[in-house]
Amino acid sequence: MQGYNNDSGEKLYGDVSKHVKATTKVDEPDKVKNLDAPSVYSTKLKLTWNAVKGAKYAVYFYNEDTKKYTHIGNTSNEAMTVQDLKPEETYRFAVRAYKKVGDKTYYGDYSAKLKVSTNPMPIEVEDARKLFNKAIDVYSLPVRETQ
């Protein structure tokens, strides 16, 4: 790069620089807020959170064996369904936003941690009969036709 001065109408050139370094500041994504589990079942649950502009999301669960949060997946949506869970177990989750610029990934802070317990496994009628060792009456409601 070479600068010059043109005050007198004559171009006066300065020395040529050997190196030019330009940097672009990339802001880390904002912290994910309002992590929630609005749908919880016995073996799966749905996590939701507020959007972070221009970001994708990395989802983590707390691993009791390692005592650390373990990455379980990425998504570009503000929701993720987590499957293959055990009934009546408590899980802890966290999410953080990230942005990729070139070959670098910039992460925001972890969300507040969410602790959620899965529901008990539903019991089938036949299993209930065996469990209680007697007959169980099952009633169905009449179906009303609509037009």
Side-chain angles (χ1 to χ4, degrees), residues 3-40:
Y4 71 91
N5 185 344
N6 193 12
D7 286 343
S8 63
E10 181 181 347
K11 292 184 180 179
L12 302 171
Y13 290 93
D15 293 335
V16 175
S17 63
K18 294 183 180 183
H19 300 284
V20 175
K21 184 176 182 180
T23 59
T24 302
K25 184 177 185 312
V26 176
D27 291 328
E28 291 179 349
D30 290 337
K31 182 177 181 176
V32 170
K33 295 181 180 174
N34 297 321
L35 177 59
D36 192 21
S39 302
V40 179

PDB file of all heavy atoms in Angstrom, residues 3-40:
ATOM      1  N   GLY A   3       0.724   5.602   0.152  1.00  0.00           N
ATOM      2  CA  GLY A   3      -0.050   6.829   0.267  1.00  0.00           C
ATOM      3  C   GLY A   3       0.595   7.952  -0.513  1.00  0.00           C
ATOM      4  O   GLY A   3       1.770   7.892  -0.859  1.00  0.00           O
ATOM      5  N   TYR A   4      -0.197   8.999  -0.823  1.00  0.00           N
ATOM      6  CA  TYR A   4       0.382  10.158  -1.506  1.00  0.00           C
ATOM      7  C   TYR A   4      -0.340  11.408  -1.061  1.00  0.00           C
ATOM      8  O   TYR A   4      -1.445  11.391  -0.547  1.00  0.00           O
ATOM      9  CB  TYR A   4       0.369   9.985  -3.023  1.00  0.00           C
ATOM     10  CG  TYR A   4      -1.004  10.062  -3.661  1.00  0.00           C
ATOM     11  CD1 TYR A   4      -1.491  11.288  -4.116  1.00  0.00           C
ATOM     12  CD2 TYR A   4      -1.778   8.926  -3.844  1.00  0.00           C
ATOM     13  CE1 TYR A   4      -2.740  11.367  -4.708  1.00  0.00           C
ATOM     14  CE2 TYR A   4      -3.014   9.000  -4.434  1.00  0.00           C
ATOM     15  CZ  TYR A   4      -3.492  10.233  -4.867  1.00  0.00           C
ATOM     16  OH  TYR A   4      -4.727  10.313  -5.456  1.00  0.00           O
ATOM     17  N   ASN A   5       0.310  12.556  -1.318  1.00  0.00           N
ATOM     18  CA  ASN A   5      -0.228  13.867  -0.972  1.00  0.00           C
ATOM     19  C   ASN A   5      -0.375  14.649  -2.265  1.00  0.00           C
ATOM     20  O   ASN A   5       0.535  14.700  -3.081  1.00  0.00           O
ATOM     21  CB  ASN A   5       0.746  14.567  -0.011  1.00  0.00           C
ATOM     22  CG  ASN A   5       0.188  15.889   0.475  1.00  0.00           C
ATOM     23  OD1 ASN A   5      -0.750  16.421  -0.084  1.00  0.00           O
ATOM     24  ND2 ASN A   5       0.806  16.408   1.530  1.00  0.00           N
ATOM     25  N   ASN A   6      -1.501  15.306  -2.438  1.00  0.00           N
ATOM     26  CA  ASN A   6      -1.770  16.034  -3.667  1.00  0.00           C
ATOM     27  C   ASN A   6      -2.174  17.481  -3.352  1.00  0.00           C
ATOM     28  O   ASN A   6      -2.991  18.048  -4.031  1.00  0.00           O
ATOM     29  CB  ASN A   6      -2.873  15.302  -4.450  1.00  0.00           C
ATOM     30  CG  ASN A   6      -2.995  15.803  -5.876  1.00  0.00           C
ATOM     31  OD1 ASN A   6      -2.145  16.520  -6.360  1.00  0.00           O
ATOM     32  ND2 ASN A   6      -4.074  15.417  -6.516  1.00  0.00           N
ATOM     33  N   ASP A   7      -1.577  18.090  -2.315  1.00  0.00           N
ATOM     34  CA  ASP A   7      -1.957  19.445  -1.916  1.00  0.00           C
ATOM     35  C   ASP A   7      -1.557  20.499  -2.950  1.00  0.00           C
ATOM     36  O   ASP A   7      -2.276  21.458  -3.186  1.00  0.00           O
ATOM     37  CB  ASP A   7      -1.314  19.804  -0.566  1.00  0.00           C
ATOM     38  CG  ASP A   7      -1.994  19.091   0.583  1.00  0.00           C
ATOM     39  OD1 ASP A   7      -3.125  18.596   0.396  1.00  0.00           O
ATOM     40  OD2 ASP A   7      -1.387  19.013   1.675  1.00  0.00           O
ATOM     41  N   SER A   8      -0.419  20.365  -3.560  1.00  0.00           N
ATOM     42  CA  SER A   8       0.093  21.400  -4.467  1.00  0.00           C
ATOM     43  C   SER A   8      -0.189  21.077  -5.930  1.00  0.00           C
ATOM     44  O   SER A   8       0.312  21.746  -6.818  1.00  0.00           O
ATOM     45  CB  SER A   8       1.602  21.549  -4.261  1.00  0.00           C
ATOM     46  OG  SER A   8       2.248  20.344  -4.609  1.00  0.00           O
ATOM     47  N   GLY A   9      -0.986  20.079  -6.184  1.00  0.00           N
ATOM     48  CA  GLY A   9      -1.252  19.679  -7.554  1.00  0.00           C
ATOM     49  C   GLY A   9      -0.243  18.664  -8.061  1.00  0.00           C
ATOM     50  O   GLY A   9      -0.416  18.084  -9.123  1.00  0.00           O
ATOM     51  N   GLU A  10       0.834  18.485  -7.315  1.00  0.00           N
ATOM     52  CA  GLU A  10       1.852  17.511  -7.681  1.00  0.00           C
ATOM     53  C   GLU A  10       1.708  16.309  -6.751  1.00  0.00           C
ATOM     54  O   GLU A  10       1.527  16.459  -5.553  1.00  0.00           O
ATOM     55  CB  GLU A  10       3.242  18.136  -7.480  1.00  0.00           C
ATOM     56  CG  GLU A  10       4.365  17.241  -7.844  1.00  0.00           C
ATOM     57  CD  GLU A  10       5.716  17.934  -7.588  1.00  0.00           C
ATOM     58  OE1 GLU A  10       5.755  19.148  -7.377  1.00  0.00           O
ATOM     59  OE2 GLU A  10       6.698  17.212  -7.585  1.00  0.00           O
ATOM     60  N   LYS A  11       1.745  15.111  -7.290  1.00  0.00           N
ATOM     61  CA  LYS A  11       1.611  13.907  -6.477  1.00  0.00           C
ATOM     62  C   LYS A  11       2.946  13.579  -5.842  1.00  0.00           C
ATOM     63  O   LYS A  11       3.935  13.374  -6.528  1.00  0.00           O
ATOM     64  CB  LYS A  11       1.120  12.729  -7.315  1.00  0.00           C
ATOM     65  CG  LYS A  11      -0.300  12.896  -7.793  1.00  0.00           C
ATOM     66  CD  LYS A  11      -0.771  11.664  -8.538  1.00  0.00           C
ATOM     67  CE  LYS A  11      -2.197  11.861  -9.005  1.00  0.00           C
ATOM     68  NZ  LYS A  11      -2.694  10.725  -9.755  1.00  0.00           N
ATOM     69  N   LEU A  12       2.954  13.532  -4.513  1.00  0.00           N
ATOM     70  CA  LEU A  12       4.152  13.169  -3.764  1.00  0.00           C
ATOM     71  C   LEU A  12       3.873  11.852  -3.066  1.00  0.00           C
ATOM     72  O   LEU A  12       3.017  11.782  -2.204  1.00  0.00           O
ATOM     73  CB  LEU A  12       4.493  14.261  -2.739  1.00  0.00           C
ATOM     74  CG  LEU A  12       4.713  15.662  -3.306  1.00  0.00           C
ATOM     75  CD1 LEU A  12       4.827  16.679  -2.182  1.00  0.00           C
ATOM     76  CD2 LEU A  12       5.966  15.679  -4.168  1.00  0.00           C
ATOM     77  N   TYR A  13       4.549  10.808  -3.459  1.00  0.00           N
ATOM     78  CA  TYR A  13       4.306   9.479  -2.933  1.00  0.00           C
ATOM     79  C   TYR A  13       5.162   9.207  -1.704  1.00  0.00           C
ATOM     80  O   TYR A  13       6.320   9.592  -1.641  1.00  0.00           O
ATOM     81  CB  TYR A  13       4.585   8.400  -3.996  1.00  0.00           C
ATOM     82  CG  TYR A  13       3.564   8.404  -5.106  1.00  0.00           C
ATOM     83  CD1 TYR A  13       3.773   9.128  -6.266  1.00  0.00           C
ATOM     84  CD2 TYR A  13       2.389   7.690  -4.965  1.00  0.00           C
ATOM     85  CE1 TYR A  13       2.831   9.155  -7.270  1.00  0.00           C
ATOM     86  CE2 TYR A  13       1.439   7.698  -5.972  1.00  0.00           C
ATOM     87  CZ  TYR A  13       1.659   8.435  -7.118  1.00  0.00           C
ATOM     88  OH  TYR A  13       0.719   8.445  -8.107  1.00  0.00           O
ATOM     89  N   GLY A  14       4.572   8.480  -0.731  1.00  0.00           N
ATOM     90  CA  GLY A  14       5.310   8.044   0.442  1.00  0.00           C
ATOM     91  C   GLY A  14       5.888   6.661   0.202  1.00  0.00           C
ATOM     92  O   GLY A  14       5.789   6.104  -0.895  1.00  0.00           O
ATOM     93  N   ASP A  15       6.501   6.130   1.240  1.00  0.00           N
ATOM     94  CA  ASP A  15       7.082   4.796   1.147  1.00  0.00           C
ATOM     95  C   ASP A  15       5.985   3.743   1.001  1.00  0.00           C
ATOM     96  O   ASP A  15       4.874   3.901   1.499  1.00  0.00           O
ATOM     97  CB  ASP A  15       7.901   4.479   2.402  1.00  0.00           C
ATOM     98  CG  ASP A  15       9.140   5.357   2.512  1.00  0.00           C
ATOM     99  OD1 ASP A  15       9.615   5.826   1.457  1.00  0.00           O
ATOM    100  OD2 ASP A  15       9.612   5.568   3.649  1.00  0.00           O
ATOM    101  N   VAL A  16       6.332   2.660   0.328  1.00  0.00           N
ATOM    102  CA  VAL A  16       5.418   1.536   0.164  1.00  0.00           C
ATOM    103  C   VAL A  16       5.499   0.684   1.426  1.00  0.00           C
ATOM    104  O   VAL A  16       6.585   0.308   1.861  1.00  0.00           O
ATOM    105  CB  VAL A  16       5.780   0.688  -1.073  1.00  0.00           C
ATOM    106  CG1 VAL A  16       4.889  -0.545  -1.163  1.00  0.00           C
ATOM    107  CG2 VAL A  16       5.680   1.521  -2.333  1.00  0.00           C
ATOM    108  N   SER A  17       4.314   0.399   2.025  1.00  0.00           N
ATOM    109  CA  SER A  17       4.321  -0.455   3.210  1.00  0.00           C
ATOM    110  C   SER A  17       4.488  -1.907   2.796  1.00  0.00           C
ATOM    111  O   SER A  17       4.057  -2.308   1.724  1.00  0.00           O
ATOM    112  CB  SER A  17       3.039  -0.271   4.023  1.00  0.00           C
ATOM    113  OG  SER A  17       1.933  -0.666   3.272  1.00  0.00           O
ATOM    114  N   LYS A  18       5.147  -2.661   3.669  1.00  0.00           N
ATOM    115  CA  LYS A  18       5.407  -4.056   3.349  1.00  0.00           C
ATOM    116  C   LYS A  18       4.245  -4.963   3.712  1.00  0.00           C
ATOM    117  O   LYS A  18       4.012  -5.959   3.065  1.00  0.00           O
ATOM    118  CB  LYS A  18       6.679  -4.521   4.051  1.00  0.00           C
ATOM    119  CG  LYS A  18       7.904  -3.819   3.533  1.00  0.00           C
ATOM    120  CD  LYS A  18       9.139  -4.331   4.174  1.00  0.00           C
ATOM    121  CE  LYS A  18      10.328  -3.582   3.592  1.00  0.00           C
ATOM    122  NZ  LYS A  18      11.577  -4.039   4.100  1.00  0.00           N
ATOM    123  N   HIS A  19       3.539  -4.629   4.771  1.00  0.00           N
ATOM    124  CA  HIS A  19       2.449  -5.493   5.226  1.00  0.00           C
ATOM    125  C   HIS A  19       1.222  -4.653   5.557  1.00  0.00           C
ATOM    126  O   HIS A  19       1.338  -3.609   6.180  1.00  0.00           O
ATOM    127  CB  HIS A  19       2.845  -6.270   6.488  1.00  0.00           C
ATOM    128  CG  HIS A  19       4.028  -7.149   6.290  1.00  0.00           C
ATOM    129  ND1 HIS A  19       3.962  -8.339   5.621  1.00  0.00           N
ATOM    130  CD2 HIS A  19       5.328  -7.007   6.646  1.00  0.00           C
ATOM    131  CE1 HIS A  19       5.163  -8.899   5.588  1.00  0.00           C
ATOM    132  NE2 HIS A  19       6.011  -8.097   6.200  1.00  0.00           N
ATOM    133  N   VAL A  20       0.117  -5.151   5.140  1.00  0.00           N
ATOM    134  CA  VAL A  20      -1.147  -4.534   5.510  1.00  0.00           C
ATOM    135  C   VAL A  20      -1.978  -5.613   6.174  1.00  0.00           C
ATOM    136  O   VAL A  20      -2.155  -6.703   5.619  1.00  0.00           O
ATOM    137  CB  VAL A  20      -1.908  -3.985   4.280  1.00  0.00           C
ATOM    138  CG1 VAL A  20      -3.268  -3.473   4.678  1.00  0.00           C
ATOM    139  CG2 VAL A  20      -1.089  -2.918   3.595  1.00  0.00           C
ATOM    140  N   LYS A  21      -2.445  -5.318   7.363  1.00  0.00           N
ATOM    141  CA  LYS A  21      -3.272  -6.296   8.078  1.00  0.00           C
ATOM    142  C   LYS A  21      -4.611  -5.650   8.385  1.00  0.00           C
ATOM    143  O   LYS A  21      -4.667  -4.620   9.045  1.00  0.00           O
ATOM    144  CB  LYS A  21      -2.593  -6.745   9.365  1.00  0.00           C
ATOM    145  CG  LYS A  21      -3.347  -7.822  10.092  1.00  0.00           C
ATOM    146  CD  LYS A  21      -2.587  -8.301  11.307  1.00  0.00           C
ATOM    147  CE  LYS A  21      -3.358  -9.415  11.979  1.00  0.00           C
ATOM    148  NZ  LYS A  21      -2.676  -9.914  13.164  1.00  0.00           N
ATOM    149  N   ALA A  22      -5.651  -6.277   7.900  1.00  0.00           N
ATOM    150  CA  ALA A  22      -6.996  -5.784   8.170  1.00  0.00           C
ATOM    151  C   ALA A  22      -7.737  -6.839   8.982  1.00  0.00           C
ATOM    152  O   ALA A  22      -7.627  -8.031   8.701  1.00  0.00           O
ATOM    153  CB  ALA A  22      -7.738  -5.517   6.871  1.00  0.00           C
ATOM    154  N   THR A  23      -8.441  -6.411   9.982  1.00  0.00           N
ATOM    155  CA  THR A  23      -9.224  -7.353  10.781  1.00  0.00           C
ATOM    156  C   THR A  23     -10.670  -6.898  10.819  1.00  0.00           C
ATOM    157  O   THR A  23     -10.959  -5.703  10.757  1.00  0.00           O
ATOM    158  CB  THR A  23      -8.690  -7.454  12.225  1.00  0.00           C
ATOM    159  OG1 THR A  23      -8.733  -6.166  12.825  1.00  0.00           O
ATOM    160  CG2 THR A  23      -7.268  -7.987  12.248  1.00  0.00           C
ATOM    161  N   THR A  24     -11.539  -7.855  10.910  1.00  0.00           N
ATOM    162  CA  THR A  24     -12.957  -7.582  11.042  1.00  0.00           C
ATOM    163  C   THR A  24     -13.393  -8.094  12.394  1.00  0.00           C
ATOM    164  O   THR A  24     -13.134  -9.247  12.740  1.00  0.00           O
ATOM    165  CB  THR A  24     -13.760  -8.316   9.941  1.00  0.00           C
ATOM    166  OG1 THR A  24     -13.268  -7.901   8.684  1.00  0.00           O
ATOM    167  CG2 THR A  24     -15.231  -8.008  10.046  1.00  0.00           C
ATOM    168  N   LYS A  25     -14.030  -7.244  13.158  1.00  0.00           N
ATOM    169  CA  LYS A  25     -14.496  -7.653  14.483  1.00  0.00           C
ATOM    170  C   LYS A  25     -15.814  -8.401  14.320  1.00  0.00           C
ATOM    171  O   LYS A  25     -16.746  -7.900  13.723  1.00  0.00           O
ATOM    172  CB  LYS A  25     -14.694  -6.440  15.379  1.00  0.00           C
ATOM    173  CG  LYS A  25     -15.088  -6.820  16.786  1.00  0.00           C
ATOM    174  CD  LYS A  25     -15.205  -5.582  17.648  1.00  0.00           C
ATOM    175  CE  LYS A  25     -15.485  -5.862  19.085  1.00  0.00           C
ATOM    176  NZ  LYS A  25     -16.484  -6.752  19.443  1.00  0.00           N
ATOM    177  N   VAL A  26     -15.853  -9.612  14.846  1.00  0.00           N
ATOM    178  CA  VAL A  26     -17.077 -10.415  14.815  1.00  0.00           C
ATOM    179  C   VAL A  26     -17.599 -10.494  16.243  1.00  0.00           C
ATOM    180  O   VAL A  26     -16.891 -10.923  17.150  1.00  0.00           O
ATOM    181  CB  VAL A  26     -16.804 -11.838  14.278  1.00  0.00           C
ATOM    182  CG1 VAL A  26     -18.059 -12.685  14.346  1.00  0.00           C
ATOM    183  CG2 VAL A  26     -16.270 -11.754  12.865  1.00  0.00           C
ATOM    184  N   ASP A  27     -18.812 -10.032  16.434  1.00  0.00           N
ATOM    185  CA  ASP A  27     -19.420 -10.111  17.759  1.00  0.00           C
ATOM    186  C   ASP A  27     -19.904 -11.523  18.011  1.00  0.00           C
ATOM    187  O   ASP A  27     -20.483 -12.165  17.128  1.00  0.00           O
ATOM    188  CB  ASP A  27     -20.610  -9.148  17.873  1.00  0.00           C
ATOM    189  CG  ASP A  27     -20.159  -7.696  17.875  1.00  0.00           C
ATOM    190  OD1 ASP A  27     -19.060  -7.419  18.375  1.00  0.00           O
ATOM    191  OD2 ASP A  27     -20.927  -6.849  17.372  1.00  0.00           O
ATOM    192  N   GLU A  28     -19.653 -12.001  19.229  1.00  0.00           N
ATOM    193  CA  GLU A  28     -20.199 -13.298  19.611  1.00  0.00           C
ATOM    194  C   GLU A  28     -21.716 -13.180  19.664  1.00  0.00           C
ATOM    195  O   GLU A  28     -22.247 -12.114  19.971  1.00  0.00           O
ATOM    196  CB  GLU A  28     -19.674 -13.707  20.983  1.00  0.00           C
ATOM    197  CG  GLU A  28     -18.210 -14.038  20.991  1.00  0.00           C
ATOM    198  CD  GLU A  28     -17.715 -14.418  22.376  1.00  0.00           C
ATOM    199  OE1 GLU A  28     -18.443 -14.224  23.359  1.00  0.00           O
ATOM    200  OE2 GLU A  28     -16.586 -14.908  22.465  1.00  0.00           O
ATOM    201  N   PRO A  29     -22.410 -14.264  19.393  1.00  0.00           N
ATOM    202  CA  PRO A  29     -23.876 -14.218  19.471  1.00  0.00           C
ATOM    203  C   PRO A  29     -24.337 -13.944  20.903  1.00  0.00           C
ATOM    204  O   PRO A  29     -23.623 -14.229  21.865  1.00  0.00           O
ATOM    205  CB  PRO A  29     -24.316 -15.620  19.040  1.00  0.00           C
ATOM    206  CG  PRO A  29     -23.127 -16.254  18.434  1.00  0.00           C
ATOM    207  CD  PRO A  29     -21.925 -15.564  18.968  1.00  0.00           C
ATOM    208  N   ASP A  30     -25.531 -13.413  21.022  1.00  0.00           N
ATOM    209  CA  ASP A  30     -26.125 -13.173  22.337  1.00  0.00           C
ATOM    210  C   ASP A  30     -26.385 -14.492  23.049  1.00  0.00           C
ATOM    211  O   ASP A  30     -26.456 -15.557  22.422  1.00  0.00           O
ATOM    212  CB  ASP A  30     -27.444 -12.416  22.202  1.00  0.00           C
ATOM    213  CG  ASP A  30     -27.235 -10.983  21.749  1.00  0.00           C
ATOM    214  OD1 ASP A  30     -26.133 -10.440  21.952  1.00  0.00           O
ATOM    215  OD2 ASP A  30     -28.187 -10.408  21.178  1.00  0.00           O
ATOM    216  N   LYS A  31     -26.577 -14.406  24.338  1.00  0.00           N
ATOM    217  CA  LYS A  31     -26.926 -15.565  25.160  1.00  0.00           C
ATOM    218  C   LYS A  31     -28.363 -15.999  24.845  1.00  0.00           C
ATOM    219  O   LYS A  31     -29.256 -15.167  24.721  1.00  0.00           O
ATOM    220  CB  LYS A  31     -26.813 -15.185  26.639  1.00  0.00           C
ATOM    221  CG  LYS A  31     -27.106 -16.290  27.604  1.00  0.00           C
ATOM    222  CD  LYS A  31     -26.878 -15.800  29.028  1.00  0.00           C
ATOM    223  CE  LYS A  31     -27.145 -16.887  30.045  1.00  0.00           C
ATOM    224  NZ  LYS A  31     -26.823 -16.426  31.403  1.00  0.00           N
ATOM    225  N   VAL A  32     -28.574 -17.299  24.715  1.00  0.00           N
ATOM    226  CA  VAL A  32     -29.912 -17.848  24.490  1.00  0.00           C
ATOM    227  C   VAL A  32     -30.736 -17.649  25.760  1.00  0.00           C
ATOM    228  O   VAL A  32     -30.265 -17.906  26.862  1.00  0.00           O
ATOM    229  CB  VAL A  32     -29.835 -19.346  24.122  1.00  0.00           C
ATOM    230  CG1 VAL A  32     -31.206 -19.999  24.133  1.00  0.00           C
ATOM    231  CG2 VAL A  32     -29.170 -19.521  22.761  1.00  0.00           C
ATOM    232  N   LYS A  33     -31.977 -17.204  25.582  1.00  0.00           N
ATOM    233  CA  LYS A  33     -32.845 -16.944  26.733  1.00  0.00           C
ATOM    234  C   LYS A  33     -34.121 -17.762  26.642  1.00  0.00           C
ATOM    235  O   LYS A  33     -34.543 -18.181  25.573  1.00  0.00           O
ATOM    236  CB  LYS A  33     -33.194 -15.457  26.802  1.00  0.00           C
ATOM    237  CG  LYS A  33     -31.979 -14.598  27.065  1.00  0.00           C
ATOM    238  CD  LYS A  33     -32.336 -13.143  27.159  1.00  0.00           C
ATOM    239  CE  LYS A  33     -31.067 -12.344  27.412  1.00  0.00           C
ATOM    240  NZ  LYS A  33     -31.309 -10.925  27.369  1.00  0.00           N
ATOM    241  N   ASN A  34     -34.730 -17.965  27.808  1.00  0.00           N
ATOM    242  CA  ASN A  34     -36.030 -18.633  27.954  1.00  0.00           C
ATOM    243  C   ASN A  34     -36.039 -20.084  27.464  1.00  0.00           C
ATOM    244  O   ASN A  34     -36.985 -20.512  26.801  1.00  0.00           O
ATOM    245  CB  ASN A  34     -37.142 -17.826  27.269  1.00  0.00           C
ATOM    246  CG  ASN A  34     -37.316 -16.474  27.919  1.00  0.00           C
ATOM    247  OD1 ASN A  34     -37.234 -16.338  29.131  1.00  0.00           O
ATOM    248  ND2 ASN A  34     -37.530 -15.455  27.111  1.00  0.00           N
ATOM    249  N   LEU A  35     -35.018 -20.836  27.821  1.00  0.00           N
ATOM    250  CA  LEU A  35     -35.005 -22.275  27.527  1.00  0.00           C
ATOM    251  C   LEU A  35     -36.141 -22.930  28.309  1.00  0.00           C
ATOM    252  O   LEU A  35     -36.297 -22.692  29.503  1.00  0.00           O
ATOM    253  CB  LEU A  35     -33.662 -22.877  27.925  1.00  0.00           C
ATOM    254  CG  LEU A  35     -33.495 -24.388  27.746  1.00  0.00           C
ATOM    255  CD1 LEU A  35     -33.692 -24.794  26.287  1.00  0.00           C
ATOM    256  CD2 LEU A  35     -32.115 -24.824  28.235  1.00  0.00           C
ATOM    257  N   ASP A  36     -36.942 -23.740  27.613  1.00  0.00           N
ATOM    258  CA  ASP A  36     -38.118 -24.360  28.224  1.00  0.00           C
ATOM    259  C   ASP A  36     -38.350 -25.733  27.600  1.00  0.00           C
ATOM    260  O   ASP A  36     -37.815 -26.033  26.532  1.00  0.00           O
ATOM    261  CB  ASP A  36     -39.336 -23.461  28.001  1.00  0.00           C
ATOM    262  CG  ASP A  36     -40.542 -23.855  28.835  1.00  0.00           C
ATOM    263  OD1 ASP A  36     -40.368 -24.555  29.860  1.00  0.00           O
ATOM    264  OD2 ASP A  36     -41.664 -23.471  28.482  1.00  0.00           O
ATOM    265  N   ALA A  37     -39.161 -26.549  28.276  1.00  0.00           N
ATOM    266  CA  ALA A  37     -39.570 -27.858  27.751  1.00  0.00           C
ATOM    267  C   ALA A  37     -41.097 -27.919  27.797  1.00  0.00           C
ATOM    268  O   ALA A  37     -41.673 -28.440  28.745  1.00  0.00           O
ATOM    269  CB  ALA A  37     -38.950 -28.983  28.561  1.00  0.00           C
ATOM    270  N   PRO A  38     -41.766 -27.385  26.774  1.00  0.00           N
ATOM    271  CA  PRO A  38     -43.222 -27.332  26.797  1.00  0.00           C
ATOM    272  C   PRO A  38     -43.910 -28.676  26.570  1.00  0.00           C
ATOM    273  O   PRO A  38     -45.070 -28.838  26.928  1.00  0.00           O
ATOM    274  CB  PRO A  38     -43.564 -26.359  25.665  1.00  0.00           C
ATOM    275  CG  PRO A  38     -42.416 -26.475  24.719  1.00  0.00           C
ATOM    276  CD  PRO A  38     -41.210 -26.745  25.581  1.00  0.00           C
ATOM    277  N   SER A  39     -43.215 -29.647  25.982  1.00  0.00           N
ATOM    278  CA  SER A  39     -43.793 -30.968  25.723  1.00  0.00           C
ATOM    279  C   SER A  39     -42.861 -32.033  26.293  1.00  0.00           C
ATOM    280  O   SER A  39     -41.743 -32.205  25.810  1.00  0.00           O
ATOM    281  CB  SER A  39     -43.955 -31.208  24.222  1.00  0.00           C
ATOM    282  OG  SER A  39     -44.766 -30.206  23.648  1.00  0.00           O
ATOM    283  N   VAL A  40     -43.323 -32.723  27.333  1.00  0.00           N
ATOM    284  CA  VAL A  40     -42.510 -33.755  27.982  1.00  0.00           C
ATOM    285  C   VAL A  40     -43.292 -35.060  27.983  1.00  0.00           C
ATOM    286  O   VAL A  40     -44.451 -35.098  28.387  1.00  0.00           O
ATOM    287  CB  VAL A  40     -42.150 -33.351  29.436  1.00  0.00           C
ATOM    288  CG1 VAL A  40     -41.324 -34.440  30.094  1.00  0.00           C
ATOM    289  CG2 VAL A  40     -41.433 -32.016  29.459  1.00  0.00           C
TER     290      VAL A  40
END
